[in-house]
Amino acid sequence: MLYTTLNNGIKMPLLGFGVYKLAEGEACMNAVKCAIEAGYRSIDTAALYENEKSVGQAIRTCGIPREEIFLTTKLGNPDQMNGNIMEAFDASLSKLGLDYVDLYLVHWPCAPYHISSWPIMEKILQSGKARAIGVSNYQPHHLDDIAQTSTVTPALNQIEMHPFFTQQSLRAYCRTHHIAPQSWSPLGGERPVQEQLFAAPAITRLAAKYNKTPAQIILRWNIEHGVITIPKSANSARIAENIDIFDFALTVDEVAAIDALNRDQRVGPDPDTHR
Ligand code: NAD
């Protein structure tokens, strides 16, 4: 596993396991345990996913010391807009059955609420119950807004990113401001976009060259960019496949060939309108 250092000095694995749409209960718990057994040390959940109980249970019972696992959860939009931010954070901790999270993110900007929510996120950081705070789906203008009054720069911005939506300018903005970019839907989300992505010649050519799958080439492309990524799967073979990307590297030209697949195509909602 490779790690990156966030702007407050804490270390975070470059590859993590996303748990969106893994149903609370056995399905989610087994998938998280399977991921931890396969070597993942970072789990990405959210209040929205309604599976924090199972994620917490898996972490508490997997046999790996808590401090070796990097756990992220997120503030839901309704709680952000109602101003119930501290309460929502405490509710997440209680569902997880843990006394701290490694990273707490604002899930969506929900403008203009991104401005009023950030000072409360800073209080959560001060409480010591979150080792880092950050945001998700923020555009540069959202980040500019909070920078006017913030005392803490978000450690990370979790954004949609895959070879059809490379987010080059948003990533450059994040780097300039010492905010780590993290990709969600790194494999292009669901079909049919994922099928088109996996069949793109720039991807299949490299998959053949390195004897890897299209998913592994795409995840490695994230690593070459230093982008933290969190693929999701409920399937144990794919969970293992997605972490088996640390025994090869792409060249600068190969990374550029994947970059060239960009067509500014979102598979998820637009952060300027999503609530
Ligand atoms: P993804 O790109 O990780 O995966 C999409 C689908 O690809 C999965 O349903 C799975 O069936 C399939 N898949 C996984 N590994 C595969 C493989 N090796 N070969 C073939 N198919 C494979 O998409 P995602 O789940 O949307 O995103 C990943 C994670 O990002 C989520 O679980 C969640 O934690 C996070 N996320 C965050 C936001 C946000 O707004 N912050 C939004 C969406 C997702």
Side-chain angles (χ1 to χ4, degrees), residues 18 20 44 136-137 158 184-185 187 189 194 230 232 241-242:
Y20 185 38
D44 181 85
S136 177
N137 300 301
Q158 185 181 115
W184 63 256
S185 285
L187 302 175
Q194 186 182 87
I230 44 169
K232 171 238 157 180
E241 175 186 326
N242 292 346

Side-chain angles (χ1 to χ4, degrees), residues 63-82:
I64 301 291
R66 167 70 186 92
E67 61 276 14
E68 288 181 26
I69 296 177
F70 192 104
L71 175 65
T72 303
T73 193
K74 313 185 193 83
L75 169 68
N77 297 349
D79 286 319
Q80 184 188 8
M81 293 191 285
N82 293 332

Side-chain angles (χ1 to χ4, degrees), residues 126-148:
Q126 283 157 17
S127 76
K129 292 179 188 169
R131 295 176 67 224
I133 52 171
V135 297
S136 177
N137 300 301
Y138 278 40
Q139 304 279 49
H141 68 93
H142 299 118
L143 292 162
D144 285 342
D145 287 343
I146 63 173
Q148 305 289 319

